[in-house]
């Protein structure tokens, strides 16, 4: 989530959303490490608008699938199953496209760190969070990734300078978070631990994006190869940790099992491929708009399918969060050349012009600025 993700991918990358090196907002470009040059552009068989809607639905429903998965499995087991399914999908794509795995130990080492911050940690935190908070709240917390990303980039990236508009967007976004949480009521009725985990998961994505931007730019491998390798390493990390904190499941209940498989195959695997294709065809600016639909779909799914309750402050605060995120990404137009793109990796999940994802996911070939804004090559949403 989030993606995403995800700018790093998805994210999350997008993960999504944001989410891994991936092609997100901005003009389409060839994957990092692949040759560029003029050539015929192949049109996809399925109209991009339908794929855009599909991607929005996949990432929006990811939070519902997490909730359903935890009805039959421990949170770490949900995350492990998700990563296994997502890795399998990308492995097939890599075989079909004859992609080569990264060859240097340095790249694999950096991908291990990226896998932790962009996949293993946020996926696990969201799964644990949804034991005690509704999927609607988790989806809205995921939308804060661009806000965290901008705040961190001002500290960690010397080239990112604050502007009045971006600072105003940051303040507005966090005001929206307080509205969602009902701060004026003393946060009554709110599970503090679960909400904190969801917000930490959202914070983990931009930490991963910044690391990817600093350490994996110019690695020489394609975005798909980096993303697939990253998900594989995240799977290994969960495979080592899960037995230490959980026991083997007593059974494999049908609905939770299908939810986990769908979460990985669709929300972590197929979503990355859809996002990559959208960025290539219509550019990152349009593709990253999916971020604005994720919390809306997550809330609608939670209410209609799971029967979750929403107070007036939840949707109102979510709109304020999205408005703040949009402001942090907006920039006055200048006649000068755009900043050079940097590959970002994620798996997602996260978030309109910011590197995300849900999402995560960090993970596409596009490039994003670590404050969440897209560079010429693009950024993708944080993968949930």
């Amino acid at each position: 989530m989030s993606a995403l993700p995800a700018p790093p991918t998805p994210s999350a990358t997008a993960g999504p959303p944001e989410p891994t090196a991936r092609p997100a907002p901005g003009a389409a470009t060839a994957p990092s490490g692949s040759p560029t040059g003029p050539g015929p552009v192949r049109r996809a068989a399925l109209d991009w608008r339908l794929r855009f809607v599909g991607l929005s639905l996949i990432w929006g429903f990811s939070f519902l699938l997490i909730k359903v998965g935890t009805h039959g499995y421990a949170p770490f087991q949900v995350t492990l199953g998700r990563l296994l399914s997502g890795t399998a999908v990308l492995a097939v794509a890599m075989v079909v496209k004859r992609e080569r795995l990264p060859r240097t130990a340095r790249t694999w080492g950096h991908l291990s760190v990226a896998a932790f911050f962009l996949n293993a940690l946020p996926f696990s935190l969201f799964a644990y969070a949804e034991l005690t908070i509704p999927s609607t709240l988790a989806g809205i917390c995921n939308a804060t990734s661009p806000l965290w990303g901008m705040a961190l980039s001002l500290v960690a990236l010397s080239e990112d300078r604050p502007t009045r508009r971006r600072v105003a967007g940051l303040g507005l976004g966090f005001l929206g978070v307080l509205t969602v949480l009902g701060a004026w009521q003393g946060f009554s009725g709110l599970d503090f631990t679960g909400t904190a985990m969801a917000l930490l998961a959202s914070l983990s994505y931009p930490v991963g994006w910044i690391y990817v931007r600093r350490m994996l730019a110019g690695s020489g491998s394609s975005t798909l190869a980096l993303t697939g390798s990253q998900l594989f390493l995240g799977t290994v990390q969960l495979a080592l940790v899960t037995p230490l904190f959980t026991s083997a499941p007593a059974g494999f209940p049908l609905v939770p099992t299908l939810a986990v498989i769908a979460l990985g195959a669709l929300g972590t695997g197929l979503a990355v491929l859809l996002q990559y294709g959208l960025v290539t065809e219509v550019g990152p600016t349009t593709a990253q708009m999916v971020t604005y639909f994720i919390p809306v779909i997550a809330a609608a799914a939670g209410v209609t399918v799971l029967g979750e309750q929403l107070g007036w402050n939840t949707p109102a605060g979510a709109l304020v969060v999205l408005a703040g995120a949009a402001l942090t990404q907006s920039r006055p137009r200048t006649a000068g050349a755009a900043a050079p793109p940097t590959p970002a990796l994620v798996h997602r999940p996260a978030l309109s012009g910011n590197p995300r994802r849900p999402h995560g996911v960090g993970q596409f070939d596009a490039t994003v600025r670590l404050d969440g804004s897209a560079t010429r090559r693009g950024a993708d949403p944080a993968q949930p």
Side-chain angles (χ1 to χ4, degrees):
M1 332 281 81
S2 146
L4 45 243
T9 113
S11 209
T13 293
E18 275 37 355
T20 31
R22 49 215 143 185
T29 57
S32 168
S34 61
T36 59
V41 177
R42 297 179 56 187
R43 295 188 61 82
L46 191 62
D47 186 83
W48 73 266
R49 297 171 187 83
L50 295 178
R51 284 178 283 130
F52 182 95
V53 171
L55 182 60
S56 301
L57 291 172
I58 288 172
W59 271 336
F61 270 84
S62 292
F63 298 97
L64 179 150
L65 294 175
I66 292 172
K67 173 70 80 173
V68 174
T70 58
H71 290 168
Y73 298 99
F76 275 139
Q77 293 169 345
V78 171
T79 304
L80 176 58
R82 174 183 188 174
L83 287 171
L84 275 172
S85 301
T87 301
V89 170
L90 291 190
V92 171
M94 290 174 64
V95 170
V96 171
K97 296 187 176 183
R98 298 181 180 180
E99 294 283 356
R100 293 184 177 181
L101 295 173
R103 297 188 177 185
T104 67
R106 175 184 177 278
T107 299
W108 282 98
H110 289 315
L111 283 174
S112 296
V113 178
F116 175 75
F117 284 109
L118 295 172
N119 304 117
L121 179 60
F123 291 1
S124 299
L125 285 173
F126 272 124
Y128 270 103
E130 291 199 40
L131 292 176
T132 56
I133 67 173
S135 63
T136 53
L137 179 56
I140 292 170
C141 287
N142 181 70
T144 64
S145 278
L147 304 176
W148 295 119
M150 198 212 79
L152 289 175
S153 71
L154 296 179
V155 176
L157 301 174
S158 58
E159 65 268 31
D160 286 322
R161 297 291 182 228
T163 64
R164 291 182 180 179
R165 179 179 300 183
R166 295 171 67 195
V167 171
L170 186 63
L172 182 63
F174 284 111
L175 178 62
V177 172
L178 293 177
T179 302
V180 169
L181 302 182
W184 65 93
Q185 300 172 343
F187 306 103
S188 60
L190 183 72
D191 184 82
F192 176 80
T193 301
T195 304
M197 284 184 174
L199 290 173
L200 284 174
S202 303
L203 171 61
S204 180
Y205 289 124
V207 171
W209 301 327
I210 290 175
Y211 183 86
V212 166
R213 176 171 173 176
R214 286 179 174 272
M215 301 299 180
L216 281 171
S219 65
S221 297
S222 72
T223 296
L224 179 57
L226 290 174
T227 302
S229 301
Q230 177 183 304
L231 285 184
F232 169 74
L233 291 171
T235 304
V236 171
Q237 292 170 4
L238 260 295
L240 295 175
V241 169
T242 300
L244 302 179
F245 295 92
T246 65
S247 56
F252 297 92
L254 179 61
V255 174
T257 300
L258 292 177
V260 172
I261 293 175
L263 178 64
L266 300 179
T268 305
L270 178 62
V272 169
L273 300 177
L274 286 175
Q275 176 72 3
Y276 181 88
L278 284 173
V279 170
T280 300
E281 183 172 346
V282 299
T285 300
T286 299
Q288 73 188 5
M289 292 299 292
V290 70
T291 297
Y292 294 104
F293 294 91
I294 293 175
V296 176
I297 295 173
V303 171
T304 58
V305 179
L306 300 178
E308 296 176 346
Q309 301 297 314
L310 280 182
W312 68 267
N313 57 300
T314 302
L319 290 176
V320 176
V321 168
L322 292 176
L327 273 178
T328 63
Q329 299 174 59
S330 63
R331 301 170 182 279
R333 296 188 177 184
T334 60
T342 330
L345 264 259
V346 175
H347 133 154
R348 290 314 251 191
L351 316 179
S352 35
N354 282 313
R356 14 293 178 173
R357 290 246 350 359
H359 53 297
V361 100
Q363 307 161 280
F364 303 90
D365 162 33
T367 54
V368 289
R369 296 177 60 84
L370 264 295
D371 60 354
S373 60
T375 66
R376 240 171 4 158
R377 296 182 64 183
D380 75 287
Q383 201 165 359

